[in-house]
Amino acid sequence: TVSQTFPDELGDLSASFNEMIEDLEEKEKMQSVLHMGLGKEIAGAMLQSGALGGEERKVTMLFSDLRGFTAMSEKLTPHQVINMLNEYMTRMTTCIEEEGGVVDKYVGDEIMALFGAPVAHPDDAVRAVRAAMRKREALKGLNVERVKRGEAEVKVGQGINTGRVVAGNMGSENRRNYTVIGSACNLAARLCSNAAAGQILISESTYQEVKDVIPTRKLDPIRVKNVAEPVQ
């Protein structure tokens, strides 16, 4: 910011310069939000709420990844691998967005989705589980098409956890993305790792949010990496 302690002409120039800096900062924020593939309505809500600056909030996180992806990819050309992932992720992303969720990132064959950040709903946990169920059904349809084309079926495991995390615009000085971090996020990823093909594992905290809406089956507690006590 330039101090406006100059004659009128220079004062006008400094004011214009300050406005330009503010515009550039706003554009940088908007680019970070739009990088997530969000609509302008959600992007505007994020900017207005100041969510990009970083805040603690309750979020339900949905992780999913392919089972046997490495073995599958070794039998395909790089072009076939990319086509398979793009087709799969397009359909999975649609299921997430139909429930009001946001894809935080794609990491190889893994999809990380958020429900409750950047925009919160009172039933985010229910939305997350419904999205996982939508994905499972959509995958059945995709696999029917893949088999008809002579291609191998795609198998997926999913994990969901609800908890408080830090959400905001994070990264380097040159590149930042909106994301969430915290132990609750890590647990969602661990549950995904433990989920069998076709299985949706939810934590106790998510269960408490959805138990009156979505049928579940109680499993034996499991041990997950970096968590001292077994997880229900």
Side-chain angles (χ1 to χ4, degrees):
T1 302
V2 179
S3 176
Q4 299 186 29
T5 57
F6 304 100
D8 289 343
E9 289 185 4
L10 291 179
D12 291 342
L13 179 61
S14 68
S16 298
F17 182 78
N18 290 339
E19 289 178 5
M20 181 185 72
I21 293 298
E22 290 176 0
D23 287 343
L24 288 173
E25 290 176 345
E26 197 70 14
K27 286 180 180 179
E28 181 184 359
K29 290 179 180 179
M30 182 60 79
Q31 286 177 345
S32 174
V33 178
L34 294 178
H35 178 73
M36 300 173 65
L38 303 178
K40 289 185 178 180
E41 184 178 350
I42 296 180
M46 285 180 65
L47 293 173
Q48 187 174 4
S49 68
L52 291 176
E55 59 180 347
E56 183 180 326
R57 62 192 299 164
K58 181 180 177 181
V59 179
T60 297
M61 291 136 292
L62 165 60
F63 281 78
S64 61
D65 59 24
L66 301 181
R67 297 293 172 257
F69 173 70
T70 301
M72 179 187 298
S73 61
E74 288 175 349
K75 300 175 183 178
L76 304 174
T77 67
H79 183 70
Q80 289 173 323
V81 171
I82 293 299
N83 284 345
M84 182 268 289
L85 287 176
N86 286 343
E87 182 180 43
Y88 159 73
M89 289 181 172
T90 296
R91 301 200 188 190
M92 299 302 103
T93 298
T94 297
C95 296
I96 292 166
E97 293 177 345
E98 285 176 345
E99 291 293 345
V102 170
V103 172
D104 180 284
K105 60 175 67 73
Y106 305 106
V107 183
D109 62 306
E110 180 184 80
I111 303 175
M112 174 183 172
L114 309 177
F115 294 79
V119 178
H121 306 91
D123 59 344
D124 280 314
V126 173
R127 288 169 178 260
V129 177
R130 283 202 309 245
M133 295 167 69
R134 280 179 180 265
K135 290 168 66 182
R136 185 163 59 186
E137 289 305 307
L139 190 64
K140 291 179 182 178
L142 175 60
N143 280 331
V144 168
E145 296 176 22
R146 289 184 58 82
V147 170
K148 287 181 179 179
R149 299 196 299 252
E151 300 168 345
E153 291 188 350
V154 175
K155 299 179 181 179
V156 176
Q158 302 185 77
I160 304 173
N161 183 42
T162 303
R164 301 202 65 82
V165 294
V166 175
N169 208 27
M170 306 175 201
S172 69
E173 291 184 357
N174 298 324
R175 181 180 178 86
R176 296 184 182 183
N177 293 314
Y178 185 86
T179 190
V180 300
I181 57 174
S183 59
C185 181
N186 295 340
L187 178 55
R190 303 300 183 209
L191 291 176
C192 177
S193 298
N194 280 270
Q199 191 175 44
I200 302 169
L201 291 184
I202 68 173
S203 66
E204 176 69 24
S205 59
T206 300
Y207 168 74
Q208 293 300 327
E209 301 266 347
V210 307
K211 62 183 180 180
D212 296 328
V213 182
I214 295 173
T216 60
R217 180 165 59 90
K218 188 175 182 179
L219 304 178
D220 292 333
I222 60 174
R223 289 195 173 275
V224 299
K225 186 177 180 181
N226 296 331
V227 178
E229 297 298 322
V231 174
Q232 181 62 61

